Amino acid sequence: MHARADQRIRVTLTLNGRERSGYAEPRTQLCDFLRHELGATGTHVGCEHGVCGACTVRVDGRASRSCLMLAVQAEGRRLDTVESLAEEEGLSDLQQAFRRHHALQCGFCTAGILMSCEEFLDRVADPSEAQVRDMLSGHLCRCTGYTGMVQAVLDVARTRREATVPDSQQENNDV
């Protein structure tokens, strides 16, 4: 498909579990498409070079920098933004842990960090502190110093592991 730079192309994708469509010029960054065309304003745009991680979303389950991807490349893909984390009753366990451990201040970087943390926790059920710090090294936060974020991720990992242990095994561990 060849398109002129000023031509708008229809892009259809699954955003946070719902099929959505909008129009984008071939050169439109995915982060701008999400924010301005689809209204998913939780995705923040920081450096626009893939360095800071503020724009991180999940594309087909993988954490990806939306400033390094064009909107037209998302055609037919599944995207999850920070808006997908909240549950009907409120914040997700990860969001609650960030609040509990004071893992955010201004909040600008938080959406991207949460998306990377969620993808990381899906892959690594029992992370070490070093693994969490390594994962977070792909994000820039000027406010918190990362300690609260590390504690929040380790807390959620532990809680999720404990929730998956069968009751009979938990009773044996308590003895």
Side-chain angles (χ1 to χ4, degrees), residues 49-108:
H49 297 286
V51 176
C52 74
C55 68
T56 302
V57 298
R58 290 179 77 169
V59 179
D60 295 331
R62 303 266 321 189
S64 303
R65 302 292 203 254
S66 63
C67 73
L68 296 180
M69 186 173 178
L70 299 173
V72 294
Q73 292 175 299
E75 172 68 33
R77 316 274 300 267
R78 187 184 88 240
L79 274 76
D80 294 297
T81 65
V82 70
E83 289 93 344
S84 72
L85 296 181
E87 301 165 355
E88 282 187 30
E89 59 275 357
L91 300 176
S92 71
D93 59 345
L94 183 60
Q95 290 169 309
Q96 289 174 30
F98 264 59
R99 182 181 351 169
R100 200 170 43 254
H101 291 280
H102 307 288
L104 58 100
Q105 286 183 21
C106 82
F108 189 82

Side-chain angles (χ1 to χ4, degrees), residues 92-165:
S92 71
D93 59 345
L94 183 60
Q95 290 169 309
Q96 289 174 30
F98 264 59
R99 182 181 351 169
R100 200 170 43 254
H101 291 280
H102 307 288
L104 58 100
Q105 286 183 21
C106 82
F108 189 82
C109 64
T110 306
I113 290 173
L114 286 168
M115 296 310 293
S116 288
C117 291
E118 193 64 49
E119 189 255 355
F120 175 76
L121 288 167
D122 284 350
R123 288 185 296 107
V124 184
D126 190 12
S128 67
E129 180 177 332
Q131 287 174 305
V132 174
R133 287 189 180 279
D134 184 58
M135 178 270 303
L136 288 171
S137 71
H139 290 273
L140 297 178
C141 175
R142 297 179 179 185
C143 301
T144 66
Y146 302 94
T147 300
M149 294 178 205
V150 172
Q151 292 170 346
V153 172
L154 292 173
D155 185 20
V156 170
R158 179 186 44 75
T159 302
R160 288 181 183 179
R161 280 192 318 276
E162 290 172 357
T164 62
V165 175

